[in-house]
Amino acid sequence: MTQLNWSDPPSQTAFPVAKAGYPFIFASAFATAVFALLGVGWLAALGLFATGFICYFFRDPDRLVPTGEGIVVSPADGKVIKVEPVDRTPYFVGACTRISVFMSVFNVHVNRVPHEGTIRQVTYNPGKFFSANLDKASTDNEHNALLLESPEGKKVGFVQIAGLIARRIICGVQSGDELKRGQRFGMICFGSRLDIYLPPETDIRVGVGDRVQAGSSILGKW
């Protein structure tokens, strides 16, 4: 049986929300209050619905993370849309396996580290905003690529890719940071995709169409 532990301290609130969502929530709540004071009922109701959805979108649930050598967990909630060998990439030297996880606006959008190790490189690239489920989104869209080296010397690449309506990639780590498996490291606001690049010898444990959760679903093991 796989053992589980916390990579981040559990939240002290019943409904944890990512800090990045606070400005959106406060702005929507303020507008709702103004509409209510002005007696514009339908706008107040719309504002209340929008505030509730924004709180839902920025939810940040605690996750128990699998322990054990060589386990790679999903960095994102969503649906696996690609599992394929790749001969070369801008982020990884040599052949590797790419797993793409598509996040709809209904998924948790907080991203987590797929494996413990040291961040060796963080590269941000501005770009376009094609739908994140398209092939060209990997290279043409705005994205932020991270390269991690595990304690065993294995390399793991994971790339935050903006989607059609996503307009903000958040990354809270930098080169040289030591991170734990399943630790929060950032998020992408309003629909997006994560590409994960794994060594070719990784035993892949997911397939196209699978639903995964950040920090808790095992993508593969070496």
Side-chain angles (χ1 to χ4, degrees):
M1 180 180 293
T2 302
Q3 298 296 313
L4 306 171
N5 66 8
W6 300 108
S7 59
D8 293 316
S11 174
Q12 301 303 307
T13 63
F15 189 83
V17 173
K19 291 182 179 178
Y22 291 166
F24 297 96
I25 295 168
F26 293 152
S28 182
F30 178 77
T32 300
V34 170
F35 293 142
L37 290 173
L38 293 175
V40 188
W42 70 275
L43 282 178
L46 183 62
L48 186 62
F49 173 81
T51 303
F53 180 78
I54 293 170
C55 289
Y56 171 78
F57 177 85
F58 283 100
R59 67 198 186 280
D60 185 11
D62 297 319
R63 295 279 170 81
L64 283 167
V65 180
T67 62
E69 292 186 8
I71 290 176
V72 180
V73 297
S74 178
D77 283 34
K79 181 180 180 180
V80 176
I81 59 172
K82 283 186 180 297
V83 179
E84 59 186 2
V86 179
D87 291 332
R88 54 186 297 180
T89 79
Y91 326 108
F92 203 100
V93 177
C96 60
T97 299
R98 179 172 66 187
I99 300 174
S100 298
V101 178
F102 176 75
M103 296 180 282
S104 76
V105 294
F106 300 106
N107 291 123
V108 173
H109 273 58
V110 174
N111 303 143
R112 293 174 178 265
V113 179
H115 194 281
E116 69 272 11
T118 304
I119 296 296
R120 295 303 184 194
Q121 185 176 334
V122 179
T123 307
Y124 171 78
N125 289 281
K128 300 176 182 178
F129 297 96
F130 296 115
S131 179
N133 61 342
L134 299 178
D135 287 343
K136 59 184 176 181
S138 289
T139 53
D140 292 356
N141 277 22
E142 177 187 8
H143 58 273
N144 186 60
L146 300 94
L147 181 63
L148 177 145
E149 183 176 357
S150 77
E152 306 89 358
K154 303 283 189 181
K155 300 291 178 64
V156 178
F158 44 112
V159 187
Q160 298 170 288
I161 303 171
L164 183 64
I165 60 175
R167 288 297 185 271
R168 188 182 180 197
I169 293 177
I170 299 169
C171 179
V173 301
Q174 57 188 354
S175 182
D177 285 353
E178 298 279 349
L179 303 176
K180 299 177 183 178
R181 179 190 302 146
Q183 181 178 339
R184 297 172 176 90
F185 77 88
M187 71 179 301
I188 316 173
C189 297
F190 303 110
S192 43
R193 166 177 165 179
L194 258 291
D195 283 352
I196 306 95
Y197 296 87
L198 300 175
E201 66 272 18
T202 306
D203 178 21
I204 303 300
R205 304 289 179 88
V206 295
V208 173
D210 288 349
R211 299 281 178 177
V212 293
Q213 288 189 325
S216 59
S217 296
I218 297 175
L219 296 184
K221 188 177 188 299
W222 57 68

